[in-house]
């Protein structure tokens, strides 16, 4: 039993210290390891396999909307980065600079991409000539570097993996439509696959992307009530096109500027999966994203026929599910706690008595419910259980979020909510940045978004009392 | 007709200037574009889609052998790079250095990975403790940077995409077995999927990887007779383990060093596909790797029913093949030459007369053979034609290679062959590096490999006349 306890005892409980619980889980579930480079993490097989599944499923959704993948260089010459004023101001302070290459000092230093707007614009200025060349719907999967002072696995690291889509369109309307379309692709993916409900909305001027006309965002609530910005989609209008000279000859023979968008989602979303679904035994992965969905654990595996039966179940289930047998020489108890720590949605316990009774014990990771299943019905029942788990995980996350969302009509209510009720606060705002700044200073909360689904919860700004223009979700954020 | 001609006329013929033909094809087939960063290329959708297919199929083959994917940081601290003496000597001259980050000069400069042996060793030294932790079979898909003076698309660029596998084993035998296993995975993939026959062998001491005990290689012959090193697999023995202190407690309770391997294949292989199979109309893609296998081109598409029929054929073929309809407003002739330039294996021409006769004209890209196919048999016949094309492309490449491989018994024969017969030269060698250097100086040819399949074509070194130890493939290389 000493062995069994070790794995779980090694993690701090989430009620005691959520931040430490998070760090313990990412390490004990072997998602990441720290590297010799400050602020850079190593994605180990368990962590990378989650990203591979995200990538595969998101990529298919992108391609359904006509997106094509490309790969751009990781370097941006300093002069190119500086072409769009707001953009360079936003990113220059946090980039890494290459100054030497091949033993020589470079004539112009190169930054490592913090994002690739400038490179895509440079490309588009070369390959877009006519309305026939539009739209361009390019995306790339790559890593980017942002020189962060404090880092946390998945949530904020100096280098991280992401995808960045960059599109160019003939009209402003088309660009706006694409910006929203991709936000919806993100939100649908997060809800349907990751079981994480999202608030969709627009960022305030203060919080929008450097160089964008409008930034749309999906915001999720973690188990501790904090917000996590999970994906963003930007409409650039023709700002970048003017800075980079991206023009096309339209059907009417007029030279016009293109309208552009960009949108990105990163390994940060793995942090959301952990912090929305995890518990004090470790990770809980939604079945649709779990690299292993079913772990078959033989009981008394030294007894004749047990391992063979376990492999037989694996073979049967492998037709429809991602399934493995834990046939190591560890004790069943240790195997259970590993399966729980790794968040594998279902374990199937099969021992001599089960074989005799032609049954197996199926244990759900999220509820720990033990379900005795006749072996005849195994495939069917496993499917049902995984479907139920996927659905109920989303339901629980939504219930948790709604239960931790409050409404504030006065500044007293607002401050009290932020201080004492972890979660989102819905409140009206006058759209004056001064109020946004004051709220941040007074409470550390920031505007998460101006949701597309507006509610009229008052007529005056929760901060200054002047006429309100919009309802905003506020919260403390990662 | 002027329009039709333009696309093909834009490329130099391969007989006239092979290097220029190559550059023209990569550009006109829209595989790459040049970027604002010297020596870095942009992989456009047509080029990246080939890499995606390579990645998907290779990754599946890796995973079948138990390999797991990870992601390591792109930065290597200078002190870490320096831990293995031969390795740092090999790579330090061609790395890029980051010296500033977040507005400040770094205390220790970071190189951008030219390869990641040092990072994997650092990780393994942290996570390998017991024989139970072995083997570790990790791989990553990423980009690496090597500061090259002269660059060519796919063949040599400052940044390129690749995969790098890094494994750690309990015994020397297991490491040697894995090194050869992965070389075979590469060779089989190249022959079965890319239709490129490979010579498998071992690199000489002079040509082996910096820090390796042995480097195995697969070498292909391009249409101009030059060699292209297409993939390598290295056995490190315990050299890196000793430098990085990677030890494990074995079953006998003794502390032992692990034995390691690494193996990599890059976007360079796309250069091989172009230079082995291409012709004066552009790219010719083997069906198994072609992002689009069939292009349906409607003839007189303004006539009633033509486009509908084209979409119907697309829908039927989409069940088993990657198929598109070119329904743009370009002329059929222009569409034909685009399909040919892009190397799409099959085009299907369908016009009013074909519809009336319940047939279509299928044109093979490689032989240009026109095959009239009854629409009833379409799926079946397309499958047959693609299979035949795949098989015959490999056969032709093998015939070409064998016809351009000569045997030299004397140094006169050797020099004559290198000077006048583009291709490989098989000749005996004494294993003395002085001869290897002299041959390079006299002829510019290098040793490609000591093939696993040895032949006895003489008893004395072709260069110095002393007793020979091994037969070597020599050739001029990219």
């Amino acid at each position: 039993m000493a062995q069994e306890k070790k794995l779980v005892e090694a993690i701090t409980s989430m009620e005691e210290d959520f931040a430490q619980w998070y760090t313990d889980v990412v390490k004990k579930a072997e998602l990441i390891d720290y590297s010799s480079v400050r602020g850079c993490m190593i994605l180990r097989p368990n962590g990378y396999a989650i990203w591979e599944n995200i990538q595969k499923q998101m990529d298919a959704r992108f391609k359904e909307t006509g997106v094509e993948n490309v790969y751009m260089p990781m370097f941006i010459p300093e002069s190119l980065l500086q072409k769009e004023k707001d953009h360079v101001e936003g990113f220059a302070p946090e980039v890494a600079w290459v100054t030497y290459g091949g033993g020589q000092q470079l004539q112009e230093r190169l930054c490592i991409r913090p994002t690739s707007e400038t490179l895509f614009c440079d490309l588009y200025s070369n390959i877009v000539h006519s309305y026939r060349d539009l739209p361009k719907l390019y995306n790339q999967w790559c890593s980017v570097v942002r020189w962060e002072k404090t880092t946390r696995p998945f949530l904020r690291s100096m280098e991280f993996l992401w995808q960045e889509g960059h599109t160019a369109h003939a009209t402003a309307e088309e660009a706006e439509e694409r910006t929203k379309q991709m936000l919806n692709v993100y939100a649908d993916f997060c809800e349907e696959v990751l079981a994480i409900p999202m608030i969709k909305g627009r960022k305030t001027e203060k919080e929008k992307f450097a160089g964008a006309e409008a930034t749309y965002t999906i915001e999720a609530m973690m188990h501790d009530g904090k917000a996590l910005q999970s994906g963003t989609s930007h409409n650039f209008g023709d700002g970048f096109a003017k800075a980079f000279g991206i023009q096309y000859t339209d059907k009417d023979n007029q030279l016009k500027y293109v309208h552009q968008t960009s949108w990105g989602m990163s390994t940060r979303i793995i942090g959301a999966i952990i912090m929305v679904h995890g518990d004090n035994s470790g990770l809980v992965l939604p079945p649709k994203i779990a690299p292993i969905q079913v772990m078959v654990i033989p009981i008394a595996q030294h007894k004749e026929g047990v391992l063979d039966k376990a492999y037989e179940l694996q073979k049967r289930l492998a037709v429809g599910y991602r399934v493995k047998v834990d046939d190591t020489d560890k004790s069943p108890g240790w195997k259970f706690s590993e399966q729980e720590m790794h968040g594998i949605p279902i374990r199937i316990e099969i021992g001599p008595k089960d074989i005799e009774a032609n049954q197996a014990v199926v244990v759900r990771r999220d509820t720990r419910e033990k379900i005795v299943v006749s072996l005849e019905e195994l495939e069917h029942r496993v499917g049902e259980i995984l479907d139920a788990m996927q659905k109920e995980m989303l339901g629980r996350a939504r219930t948790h979020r709604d239960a931790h969302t409050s409404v504030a009509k006065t500044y007293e209510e607002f401050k009290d909510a932020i201080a004492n009720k972890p979660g989102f606060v819905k409140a009206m705002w006058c759209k004056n940045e001064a109020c946004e700044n004051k709220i941040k200073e007074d409470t550390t909360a920031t505007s998460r978004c101006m949701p597309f689904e507006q509610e009229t919860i008052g007529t005056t700004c929760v901060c200054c009392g002047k006429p309100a223009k919009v309802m905003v979700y506020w919260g403390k954020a990662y």
Side-chain angles (χ1 to χ4, degrees), chain A residues 146-202:
Chain A
R146 297 179 188 176
W147 215 261
E148 303 280 0
K149 287 207 177 60
T150 52
T151 61
R152 294 190 63 191
F154 296 116
L155 302 180
R156 199 171 294 278
S157 55
M158 291 222 316
E159 183 189 5
F160 57 87
L161 296 174
W162 79 345
Q163 59 67 221
E164 46 178 324
H166 297 266
T167 69
H169 304 268
T171 66
E173 293 68 35
E174 227 187 88
E176 176 66 9
E177 200 182 310
R178 173 60 63 167
T179 314
K180 291 208 167 127
Q181 179 182 21
M182 299 320 288
L183 194 80
N184 285 329
V185 168
Y186 290 152
D188 292 348
F189 170 79
C190 289
E191 299 210 2
E192 292 163 15
V193 179
L194 307 183
I196 302 177
M198 290 290 169
I199 305 283
K200 294 188 274 190
R202 182 173 174 165

Side-chain angles (χ1 to χ4, degrees), chain A residues 62-242:
Chain A
F62 293 162
K63 283 178 178 158
E64 270 171 34
T65 75
V67 170
E68 299 178 296
N69 285 336
V70 299
Y71 186 76
M72 304 293 279
M74 70 156 80
F75 298 123
I76 307 174
E78 187 161 20
S79 55
L80 195 65
L81 187 70
Q82 288 173 338
K83 274 203 171 178
E84 210 286 334
K85 200 181 126 288
D86 291 335
H87 189 68
V88 66
E89 277 177 15
F91 283 102
E94 56 180 43
V95 297
W97 291 103
V98 175
T99 57
Y100 281 83
Q104 293 194 310
Q105 185 156 12
L106 305 184
Q107 292 198 316
E108 179 180 15
R109 46 183 204 166
L110 304 171
C111 93
I112 301 176
R113 62 179 162 224
T115 178
S116 306
E117 273 72 13
T118 51
L119 291 168
F120 277 91
C121 285
D122 195 36
L123 173 64
Y124 289 153
S125 74
N126 290 325
I127 65 173
V128 172
H129 306 292
S130 139
Y131 69 94
R132 290 168 196 257
D133 300 324
L134 295 172
K136 286 280 180 244
L137 308 172
Y138 288 177
N139 174 66
Q140 74 173 346
W141 295 91
C142 63
S143 80
V144 290
V145 169
R146 297 179 188 176
W147 215 261
E148 303 280 0
K149 287 207 177 60
T150 52
T151 61
R152 294 190 63 191
F154 296 116
L155 302 180
R156 199 171 294 278
S157 55
M158 291 222 316
E159 183 189 5
F160 57 87
L161 296 174
W162 79 345
Q163 59 67 221
E164 46 178 324
H166 297 266
T167 69
H169 304 268
T171 66
E173 293 68 35
E174 227 187 88
E176 176 66 9
E177 200 182 310
R178 173 60 63 167
T179 314
K180 291 208 167 127
Q181 179 182 21
M182 299 320 288
L183 194 80
N184 285 329
V185 168
Y186 290 152
D188 292 348
F189 170 79
C190 289
E191 299 210 2
E192 292 163 15
V193 179
L194 307 183
I196 302 177
M198 290 290 169
I199 305 283
K200 294 188 274 190
R202 182 173 174 165
K203 285 283 185 192
T204 63
E205 287 299 296
K206 177 183 161 75
E207 299 286 340
K208 77 178 184 188
F209 183 83
E213 273 190 5
T215 289
Y216 301 117
T217 180
I218 48 172
E219 301 279 329
M221 188 190 293
M222 305 299 101
H223 193 79
D224 64 349
K226 280 197 189 160
L228 191 81
Q229 175 182 308
S230 304
T232 48
S233 187
H234 317 290
N235 185 343
F236 291 123
D238 58 7
F240 275 90
K242 283 180 173 160

Side-chain angles (χ1 to χ4, degrees), chain A residues 263-394:
Chain A
W263 25 277
M265 201 160 155
S266 75
T267 39
R268 181 165 230 230
I269 197 71
I270 298 176
I273 299 172
I274 301 165
M275 291 196 289
V276 168
H277 301 302
D279 66 21
N280 283 331
S281 300
L283 207 57
V284 182
L285 292 174
K288 287 190 183 170
I289 209 68
I292 303 168
Q293 297 171 311
V294 180
M295 183 65 89
V296 180
I297 300 182
I299 311 294
Q301 67 184 35
H302 58 283
K303 293 213 173 145
E304 207 191 312
V306 173
L307 266 177
D308 285 344
K309 196 62 166 182
Y311 296 134
E312 182 196 316
L313 300 189
Q314 177 190 28
K315 206 176 153 190
R316 278 173 56 185
L317 289 169
V319 177
Y321 312 100
R322 299 184 285 271
V323 56
K324 261 188 136 173
V325 175
D326 188 346
D327 53 9
T328 58
D329 59 6
K330 300 163 189 166
S331 73
W334 182 256
K335 291 178 185 180
F336 295 170
S337 66
E338 272 195 339
Q339 167 259 325
E340 289 174 3
M341 183 61 75
H342 293 174
I344 297 165
I346 279 183
R347 77 163 173 260
I348 297 180
E349 306 172 4
I350 181 94
K353 285 181 191 162
D354 300 306
I355 295 172
E356 215 174 302
N358 198 36
Q359 65 179 37
V361 180
V362 176
V363 186
R364 256 175 79 157
R365 173 63 185 87
D366 59 336
T367 57
R368 284 151 194 271
E369 192 186 348
K370 290 189 177 213
I371 305 150
V372 176
V373 169
S374 150
L375 290 189
E376 261 103 56
E377 292 187 308
L378 190 70
E379 292 90 336
H380 173 67
R381 293 286 281 133
V382 162
E384 276 183 351
I385 294 165
L386 289 173
D387 284 350
M389 183 170 164
Q390 180 79 32
K391 206 174 142 199
E392 289 168 30
M393 283 177 77
L394 175 61

